[in-house]
């Protein structure tokens, strides 16, 4: 986080998200930390395939999701959590460079892929309103 704060202090809050990510990655390398940018996560199921891109993966185990937005929103949190789950990671940080001070939130999960697949449908209160809802 020291690197993130230093980048924000030096460059301010009005740059493009890509520039922040590039600078953080370069400074991590200088500090002796491995930082991979735009780490591809490919999801494949039957005939479906979709690629996701994690902003930064530090030391092969810590995700840093960078934003340059007016404020962090629920969608940013959900995206970060989704990346953790897809990559099989437990911890990460969501950071926003756009605000006067770096806005940051710890993102964590203990769920495994196996845990995520354990679902139970409770339909006791389900109300069918049309054919589509019946299906």
């Amino acid at each position: 986080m020291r690197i993130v704060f230093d980048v924000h202090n030096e460059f301010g809050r009005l740059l493009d998200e890509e520039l922040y990510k590039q600078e953080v990655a370069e400074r991590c390398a200088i500090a002796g930390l491995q930082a991979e940018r735009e780490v591809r996560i490919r999801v494949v199921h039957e005939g479906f395939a979709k690629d996701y891109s994690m902003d930064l993966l530090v030391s092969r185990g810590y995700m840093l999701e960078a934003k340059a937005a007016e404020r962090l929103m629920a969608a940013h949190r959900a995206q970060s959590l989704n990346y953790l789950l897809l990559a099989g990671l437990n911890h990460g940080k969501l950071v926003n460079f756009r605000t006067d001070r770096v806005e940051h939130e710890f993102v964590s999960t203990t769920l495994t892929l196996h845990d995520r697949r354990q679902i139970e449908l409770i339909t006791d209160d389900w109300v069918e309103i049309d054919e589509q809802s019946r299906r």
Side-chain angles (χ1 to χ4, degrees), residues 85 111-118:
L85 293 167
L111 290 176
T112 65
L113 184 58
H114 175 76
D115 294 335
R116 290 181 66 203
R117 291 183 173 164
Q118 302 304 308

Side-chain angles (χ1 to χ4, degrees), residues 1 4-5 8 12-13 17 20 64-73 76 93-105:
M1 282 307 295
V4 169
F5 295 138
H8 187 269
R13 62 185 197 90
E17 184 178 301
Y20 292 117
L64 183 76
E65 187 64 22
K67 299 295 175 198
E70 290 301 316
R71 61 183 165 80
L72 291 177
M73 302 178 74
H76 299 138
K93 195 79 164 186
L94 173 60
V95 298
N96 184 15
F97 288 93
R98 180 71 69 219
T99 50
D100 289 336
R101 293 183 179 185
V102 174
E103 183 180 15
H104 56 98
E105 297 180 9

Side-chain angles (χ1 to χ4, degrees), residues 8-102:
H8 187 269
N9 288 339
E10 187 173 332
F11 292 99
R13 62 185 197 90
L14 299 175
L15 294 181
D16 184 70
E17 184 178 301
E18 292 302 316
L19 296 171
Y20 292 117
K21 291 188 288 191
Q22 178 180 338
E23 189 64 24
V24 168
E26 287 176 12
R27 290 184 187 203
C28 282
I30 291 168
L33 299 169
Q34 181 184 17
E36 301 171 65
R37 287 185 57 220
E38 303 302 326
V39 176
R40 184 177 91 160
I41 303 169
R42 175 152 250 209
V43 175
V44 179
H45 179 71
E46 295 177 359
F48 172 82
K50 182 171 180 171
D51 289 329
Y52 294 91
S53 184
M54 185 187 312
D55 288 343
L56 289 164
L57 181 61
V58 180
S59 299
R60 297 194 176 261
Y62 189 78
M63 177 202 69
L64 183 76
E65 187 64 22
K67 299 295 175 198
E70 290 301 316
R71 61 183 165 80
L72 291 177
M73 302 178 74
H76 299 138
R77 291 176 197 93
Q79 177 188 31
S80 297
L81 184 58
N82 189 46
Y83 290 165
L84 286 180
L85 293 167
L86 290 174
L89 300 173
N90 296 106
H91 309 292
K93 195 79 164 186
L94 173 60
V95 298
N96 184 15
F97 288 93
R98 180 71 69 219
T99 50
D100 289 336
R101 293 183 179 185
V102 174

